[in-house]
Amino acid sequence: MKQVRANQRPMLVAGPCSAEGREQIMFSIEQAKQREVDFVRISLWKPRTKPGFDGLKEEGISLLAEAAQMGVNPGTEILVPSQAQAVMDGVLPSLGADGKLLLWIGARNQNHYVQQEIARVAAQDSRVHLMLKNQPWHSESHWEGILDHALEGGMAPENLILCHRGFTPDVHHPNPNGLRNVADNEMAMRVREKTNIPMLLDISHIAGAVDKLEDVMLEGAEHNYDGMVIEVHPNPRFAWTDAKQQITWEELDAMLGKLPAERAVERKAVLA
Ligand code: PEP
Ligand code: MN
């Protein structure tokens, strides 16, 4: 992971797959604060393949505001523009001038009208950063198109972040290692170079299982990603979503410690 902007170390977005309640989130904020994580995941809306727990929704916005008050930058996926607006209305008053709020558009949210309108909402405040995850199918031009739609919606390039979460395996792109999604690190690096927008690697949604996370991370470390997204849960086995791929904060420390020294994410708590 390299440095992209002056004085900026590799970025780390970490926290539970989904926000489940106040206790879980308060613990996550404390852990994120100790490690100087750039954004803590407090994700309130979960797209689900089949009906099930799909997030705390508006009810959880106050948790992001609490993170902001505690000096930890919060982040959540949003599915539609009204959710982006509600999060901004609820969180920005608690965020200092140097604070940041991360909103992201998930892989399955592939409607260009929604992408542009979310960007239009997010562009209202320069403290809001918008992360764009790649679409599930393997296409470089579609991925670039998501970025074009966000720019069309008025997002400043410096407030945009890209995230590679792998592509759904198909006959042309099988997954011999049994990963949940297949990474195309070369494509991610081409998109990163062409656009000059920071690119994060979401190792959790590529791996899909705890025992594959480290390999995905180490393979990613051979490329010039600008940081990582990792799902971290206080009690992964009992997570309400994505239980198989989440690790504890202590396991995160141990895993980051295995990064090659020149790419290591230097965080006081991790190295302590
Ligand atoms: C997520 O990051 O919570 C998520 C749902 O991932 P993706 O959009 O990559 O499937
Ligand atoms: Mn998840």
Side-chain angles (χ1 to χ4, degrees):
M1 315 284 152
K2 68 170 183 183
Q3 298 201 327
V4 269
R5 291 172 186 157
N7 304 322
Q8 203 180 44
R9 45 182 196 176
M11 203 184 290
L12 190 57
V13 180
C17 174
S18 50
E20 299 165 7
R22 190 162 191 283
E23 199 183 322
Q24 175 223 30
I25 293 304
M26 285 301 134
F27 179 81
S28 304
I29 296 170
E30 291 290 351
Q31 297 294 312
K33 194 176 170 75
Q34 283 174 28
R35 292 162 177 81
E36 299 181 9
V37 160
D38 297 272
F39 293 100
V40 60
R41 283 180 64 113
I42 308 180
S43 208
L44 301 179
W45 287 275
K46 301 303 302 172
R48 299 305 301 265
T49 309
K50 294 192 173 164
F53 172 70
D54 61 353
L56 296 180
K57 310 189 179 83
E58 281 78 2
E59 210 182 291
I61 292 175
S62 60
L63 299 172
L64 281 92
E66 287 195 65
Q69 280 155 18
M70 291 163 69
V72 179
N73 293 323
T76 178
E77 176 165 355
I78 34 82
L79 302 177
V80 294
S82 60
Q83 293 164 356
Q85 189 67 61
V87 172
M88 287 167 61
D89 290 347
V91 176
L92 292 178
S94 301
L95 202 64
D98 296 335
K100 293 185 177 108
L101 169 64
L102 179 69
L103 301 177
W104 73 85
I105 299 180
R108 282 170 275 184
N109 202 355
Q110 299 304 318
N111 173 320
H112 83 272
Y113 176 84
V114 166
Q115 292 166 352
Q116 289 192 13
E117 290 303 314
I118 287 175
R120 234 178 282 290
V121 172
Q124 294 173 101
D125 191 298
S126 61
R127 292 170 296 170
V128 179
H129 290 243
L130 184 62
M131 181 166 81
L132 307 170
K133 295 187 119 189
N134 64 266
Q135 74 290 344
W137 56 92
H138 202 273
S139 160
E140 191 162 336
S141 66
H142 187 106
W143 195 357
E144 289 167 7
I146 303 169
L147 178 62
D148 291 341
H149 287 305
L151 292 166
E152 186 75 16
M155 276 309 288
E158 59 270 25
N159 282 37
L160 285 169
I161 299 168
L162 291 164
C163 174
H164 187 33
R165 48 74 83 195
F167 297 112
T168 306
D170 61 35
V171 281
H172 305 292
H173 308 95
N175 60 340
N177 301 323
L179 300 173
R180 179 174 178 183
N181 290 297
V182 179
D184 187 336
N185 293 316
E186 285 73 23
M187 188 196 288
M189 289 302 103
R190 277 198 301 278
V191 173
R192 199 233 167 280
E193 292 311 316
K194 273 192 267 185
T195 62
N196 204 29
I197 304 282
M199 177 73 73
L200 307 188
L201 183 67
D202 178 343
I203 62 170
S204 301
H205 289 92
I206 293 171
V210 171
D211 62 356
K212 299 191 169 73
L213 273 177
E214 196 178 305
D215 284 349
V216 173
M217 179 190 77
L218 292 176
E219 205 171 317
E222 316 237 316
H223 301 267
N224 284 328
Y225 282 98
D226 301 287
M228 282 189 288
V229 176
I230 309 179
E231 289 185 338
V232 187
H233 193 281
N235 200 350
R237 281 202 309 136
F238 295 97
W240 296 0
T241 55
D242 283 347
K244 283 194 293 192
Q245 68 194 31
Q246 301 198 64
I247 54 175
T248 64
W249 291 92
E250 290 71 28
E251 286 166 344
L252 171 70
D253 295 341
M255 201 177 70
L256 292 178
K258 292 185 183 165
L259 278 170
E262 72 276 14
R263 298 198 182 266
V265 181
E266 288 182 22
R267 288 166 196 287
K268 279 184 249 141
V270 173
L271 300 174

